[in-house]
Amino acid sequence: MQKMNMFMIQRAFSSFSISRVSRLHQPVSHGVSWSFSHINPTEDSISQLLVHEGFIQQCSSGLYAMLPLAQRALDKLCRIVEQEMEAINANKLLLPTLTSLELWQKSGRWRPTNPELMTMSDHHQKQYLLSPTHEEAICELLSHKEDTSLSKLPLLLYQISSKFRDEGRPCHGLLRAREFMMKDLYSFDCDEPSAAKTYDVVTTSYLRVLSRLGVPYIRVEGSCGDIGGSFSHEYHFESDAGQDILLRCSNCGHCASQDFLLETRGGIVGQQEAHIECPKCSSSHMDSIKGIEVGHTFLLGDKYSAPLKATFQYKQGVRRPLIMGCYGLGLSRLVQATVTRCSSQNSIVWPWVLAPYKLCIIGPKRGSKESAASVWVESLAVCLQQQVPALRGDVIIDDRDAFTIGNRVYAAKRAGYPLVVVVGKHALRDMPLFELIDNTAAFRSLQETSKTPLFGEGLSSKSGNLLTQLELLNYLGVLCNELDQIRS
Amino acid sequence: MQKMNMFMIQRAFSSFSISRVSRLHQPVSHGVSWSFSHINPTEDSISQLLVHEGFIQQCSSGLYAMLPLAQRALDKLCRIVEQEMEAINANKLLLPTLTSLELWQKSGRWRPTNPELMTMSDHHQKQYLLSPTHEEAICELLSHKEDTSLSKLPLLLYQISSKFRDEGRPCHGLLRAREFMMKDLYSFDCDEPSAAKTYDVVTTSYLRVLSRLGVPYIRVEGSCGDIGGSFSHEYHFESDAGQDILLRCSNCGHCASQDFLLETRGGIVGQQEAHIECPKCSSSHMDSIKGIEVGHTFLLGDKYSAPLKATFQYKQGVRRPLIMGCYGLGLSRLVQATVTRCSSQNSIVWPWVLAPYKLCIIGPKRGSKESAASVWVESLAVCLQQQVPALRGDVIIDDRDAFTIGNRVYAAKRAGYPLVVVVGKHALRDMPLFELIDNTAAFRSLQETSKTPLFGEGLSSKSGNLLTQLELLNYLGVLCNELDQIRS
């Protein structure tokens, strides 16, 4: 029984456990002055900022550690992906990182001259790839057992795992890394029309994932390139910091990747985008915009399933290759890309649903006149987590009370906490007041085109205001609710 | 607004989304007869059974895919680990799989003759290890910025990621694989006494993780071996299927690994355990038992932090190496080891908290006399998930209604679903009745030593009984609650 009690206490404690900045590994670069005003966000400046503020850290060229705050954002993104995958009955699994080179020889994709493929040999001299993608491996998996019957189709299999690509010039932090976190899904159908239907279901689900981030995205027709297949789509964030070029028709708004247009219009190369006609309305005004690619989906047909014998039982004794789609979403890349897209101002801005913590509470400095107010900090943290569902598990206390409030408010802004509550001298009044700092304006302003006005129901911004505990709770309840509703 | 509605509908749907066996990728080997009665569980027979029943699949020697059901068990295990880590303020992060070989040269651990290390070269001929563990990498991470101050200590950093070891003879499925999922934690302190205290906190937390699985475990003093340090502990499941030998004193019950005893008693080798004295009570009766190792923790001191310059600011201008501990928990190994430990009977038994799904509902065969009863299946699934918190997200319907009920009950038993509800002809009565099959006996019987009787409060087993919907709900509510409380 004593054992049981220990567990119950521990559990009760853990459901209200509160994070503290003093216990957080966030190695901010001291002694290096970083002027936000110099940043006209580029991919590179944002990756430097993420390094500088202790979110990620380079371990080797193109190899980054996700430090605890970025890891929390990545974990939140994974949950969103998992929820949307469950809604379309996709099965999560995990394939080995190492794929036998043989399989890539069978599919015809192995070229020893491809410098981007990373290989290794085991002690029996058998060769493996550090997989950049798993089309071959998943086909091999399905070829082994005779279970894939018509009734099981469409079959959707996905995984979240590290992928490898030996980039010639790794740069821009998580955007062009040599090891990165990918979500890859593979769909299997009995024929092209069903496969095209499945492709719609899966890509609609991908749009929902992107939409839930609240960061405006663009979906364009893409080039199939090396991977092959009959058609593909790319998913981009429009950003001056991007390295992909998209063309948008100024007449009908149709958007396509420059590569795709050049490819489908006869392989014209060079800087000729001004002369490309819109494939939809034939207008000759295509504007060039920049994008960060965060996803790419392909209808592959039987390019991999046929050579690797991933078949289904068409009728008694007759097996046919499965018709396949593949769907990639760059998860670690998305973490940085969302920050890049949101941080149009002069500090890190996280999309609300990915913010590592949503609210930071800052108490008085130790030994200061208002230090007695610090009794409020802990109870406020518990109360906010209990009363505002969106904040549960997402409140952190900046308990580094050797620093002034001002110092910590500045640090909180740099770290990009969407909401900050300051417990200062006004908390010592008969009716204690707390200051709310609302940093969500930049994120909210991304939804310029949204028809629904934010704060629609008479809620006006109280950022910078002093609020009683009850006012704070009510206001945050409504605000978090509205922020949770934001979709791009 | 329309967009918003779509989301709300989708969300409402997803919160009651029900899994279906027809949509599940579980490639059971047909055409191969597998006789449970032949199984006197060994490591190997259980791994074969997991392959046979479609939980895992071999991709290459020692490289396994976690198929969807095993992946669900692994994900559940990860959540438990994350909760316990949060309770001790450990920070989750993610280091690259690739560790620069240089770092292992600096620590002195690199031996080109070690056949277990997997290496690769990038296109600049720089060499990397596919990390089997990350002591060097994490020290290098901490050496880069000058942030580690006394006030940040103890610092606990952990990750959950794939690790690599080129086993000479990979075997027993996930138990001795070449790529496996590990949870590794690294602790950093200012001196040995603090490090020892932190070691206690972390290892107590590891015991809580193991305890929550409800599978009896043994913690023993271990040998430090290659990794080094001042002391270590191993965590084992006692199992005839195990390959590690532990010695237990028949007088005082003290338990230690044979390797450790041989090492500390002067390096006596061979089968001499009968002659080893108990280090605690000096009794000469040490019984040899077999164990499956699922974790190993070490107090390392400065073996890695000193050469790799992971230091903290001791006082102005003076930096000292951090005192380090490392703590490994084999997660994919645990998935198989728990099944091996629980499956003492003649089929797969999952520990309750890791069971991929906790309850399976089986409806009538299509076209049969009782087929009208199938209207109950869906509503029962929704109702169980709504009313019994432990079942939320954990109910699956075996909707393969081309098969008889008997066939599917047999399949459910083989897959190890702890609870099965059959909707058959009795569901057509005026007062519909459902059959409950309770497969949790083998798991419950693991707790032989438990002082608290199960079903203590007057609940007697209703397995095989016909219950009304209300009786079913009430009974499952109490049963799941009791199962949730089981600790080893």
Side-chain angles (χ1 to χ4, degrees), chain B residues 261-464:
Chain B
L261 285 183
L262 290 172
E263 190 179 275
T264 52
R265 297 178 68 83
I268 309 162
V269 286
Q271 298 297 319
Q272 307 186 14
E273 65 271 25
H275 303 299
I276 292 177
E277 278 186 0
C278 172
K280 233 181 186 161
C281 73
S282 298
S283 150
S284 60
H285 284 278
M286 298 287 279
D287 296 327
S288 157
I289 57 175
K290 285 182 172 178
I292 302 176
E293 188 184 319
V294 293
H296 206 156
T297 58
F298 300 82
L299 193 70
L300 294 173
D302 63 358
K303 178 173 173 183
Y304 298 90
S305 53
L308 287 154
K309 301 196 173 32
T311 57
F312 70 101
Q313 189 158 357
Y314 174 61
K315 51 187 184 187
Q316 190 68 35
V318 182
R319 302 189 72 80
R320 283 189 174 177
L322 289 155
I323 303 302
M324 190 174 169
C326 77
Y327 312 79
L329 209 51
L331 299 186
S332 48
R333 175 181 272 227
L334 260 167
V335 168
Q336 181 171 329
T338 53
V339 173
T340 304
R341 183 68 180 89
C342 296
S343 303
S344 56
Q345 305 303 312
N346 56 1
S347 63
I348 285 179
V349 174
W350 290 95
W352 174 248
V353 292
L354 297 190
Y357 289 93
K358 289 177 175 165
L359 187 144
C360 176
I361 300 179
I362 296 171
K365 187 179 178 197
R366 197 191 320 147
S368 66
K369 273 182 295 184
E370 58 262 34
S371 66
S374 65
V375 294
W376 275 103
V377 173
E378 201 86 2
S379 67
L380 206 56
V382 171
C383 170
L384 287 173
Q385 301 205 69
Q386 279 178 327
Q387 305 290 319
V388 186
L391 296 179
R392 209 155 286 164
D394 265 327
V395 171
I396 188 165
I397 296 174
D398 191 341
D399 58 339
R400 298 173 303 169
D401 58 7
F403 297 114
T404 64
I405 286 180
N407 265 332
R408 284 175 287 157
V409 167
Y410 180 64
K413 190 173 172 57
R414 290 164 60 108
Y417 294 117
L419 301 168
V420 178
V421 171
V422 177
V423 179
K425 62 181 179 201
H426 301 288
L428 291 173
R429 294 193 195 175
D430 287 346
M431 170 73 89
L433 295 175
F434 309 100
E435 187 187 356
L436 174 71
I437 301 171
D438 178 356
N439 295 322
T440 63
F443 172 63
R444 282 187 269 123
S445 76
L446 277 178
Q447 282 66 42
E448 312 106 313
T449 55
S450 165
K451 295 289 187 301
T452 327
L454 285 161
F455 303 117
E457 295 164 45
L459 190 74
S460 59
S461 173
K462 293 215 188 291
S463 186

Side-chain angles (χ1 to χ4, degrees), chain A residues 1 3-4 6-7 10-11 13-14 17-18 21-30 51-52 54 57-60 63-68 71 75 79 82 84 86-87 89 91-98 100 115 118-120 122-124 126 128 130 141-142 144-145 147 151-155 157 162 164 166-168 178-179 181 208 211-212 452 485 487-488, chain B residues 1 3-4 6-7 10-11 13-14 17-18 21-30 51-52 54 57-60 63-68 71 75 79 82 84 86-87 89 91-98 100 115 118-120 122-124 126 128 130 141-142 144-145 147 151-155 157 162 164 166-168 178-179 181 208 211-212 452 485 487-488:
Chain A
M1 277 313 285
K3 220 191 215 176
M4 211 65 108
M6 189 189 80
F7 271 110
Q10 197 270 327
R11 277 191 149 185
F13 172 77
S14 102
S17 90
I18 298 154
V21 174
S22 69
R23 300 258 60 82
L24 185 70
H25 182 60
Q26 185 196 6
V28 175
S29 299
H30 294 303
V51 170
H52 191 270
Q57 189 168 324
Q58 190 170 14
C59 298
S60 211
L63 300 175
Y64 280 81
M66 296 294 268
L67 299 183
Q71 180 64 37
D75 280 344
R79 295 285 171 284
E82 285 167 2
E84 295 298 339
E86 205 182 310
N89 285 312
N91 286 240
K92 189 179 174 197
L93 47 63
L94 185 62
L95 296 168
T97 301
L98 296 176
S100 167
M118 288 178 156
T119 56
M120 61 83 60
D122 68 9
H123 68 275
H124 296 299
K126 183 173 157 79
Y128 293 91
L130 276 68
L141 193 82
L142 292 184
H144 267 299
K145 294 203 182 180
D147 184 62
S151 69
K152 283 274 184 188
L153 304 180
L155 177 62
L157 302 171
S162 292
F164 299 81
D166 205 354
E167 288 280 355
R178 299 200 293 167
E179 180 174 345
M181 194 55 67
R208 273 200 299 270
S211 196
R212 284 176 66 177
T452 328
Q485 304 293 327
R487 306 277 181 238
S488 62
Chain B
M1 278 315 285
K3 221 191 216 175
M4 209 67 105
M6 191 188 77
F7 272 110
Q10 198 270 326
R11 276 190 149 187
F13 172 77
S14 101
S17 91
I18 298 152
V21 174
S22 69
R23 299 258 62 79
L24 185 70
H25 182 59
Q26 185 197 4
V28 175
S29 298
H30 294 304
V51 170
H52 191 270
Q57 188 168 324
Q58 189 170 15
C59 297
S60 211
L63 300 175
Y64 280 82
M66 297 293 269
L67 298 184
Q71 179 65 35
D75 280 344
R79 297 282 172 286
E82 285 167 1
E84 295 299 338
E86 206 182 310
N89 284 311
N91 286 240
K92 188 178 174 199
L93 47 63
L94 184 62
L95 296 168
T97 301
L98 297 176
S100 166
M118 288 179 156
T119 56
M120 59 82 60
D122 67 9
H123 68 275
H124 296 300
K126 183 174 157 77
Y128 293 89
L130 275 68
L141 193 83
L142 292 184
H144 266 300
K145 295 204 179 177
D147 184 64
S151 68
K152 284 274 184 187
L153 304 179
L155 177 63
L157 302 172
S162 293
F164 298 81
D166 205 353
E167 289 280 356
R178 300 199 295 168
E179 181 174 346
M181 193 55 67
R208 273 200 298 269
S211 197
R212 284 177 66 178
T452 327
Q485 304 294 325
R487 306 279 182 236
S488 63

Side-chain angles (χ1 to χ4, degrees), chain B residues 196-242:
Chain B
K197 260 185 224 161
T198 300
Y199 184 87
D200 277 347
V201 170
V202 177
T203 52
T204 304
S205 165
Y206 274 35
L207 297 184
R208 273 200 298 269
V209 169
L210 294 177
S211 197
R212 284 177 66 178
L213 303 182
V215 179
Y217 60 85
I218 306 167
R219 167 178 140 138
V220 302
E221 288 178 286
S223 147
C224 289
D226 262 5
I227 201 166
S230 40
F231 58 82
S232 89
H233 289 92
E234 298 171 11
Y235 306 78
H236 290 267
F237 289 160
E238 183 179 346
S239 167
D240 287 342

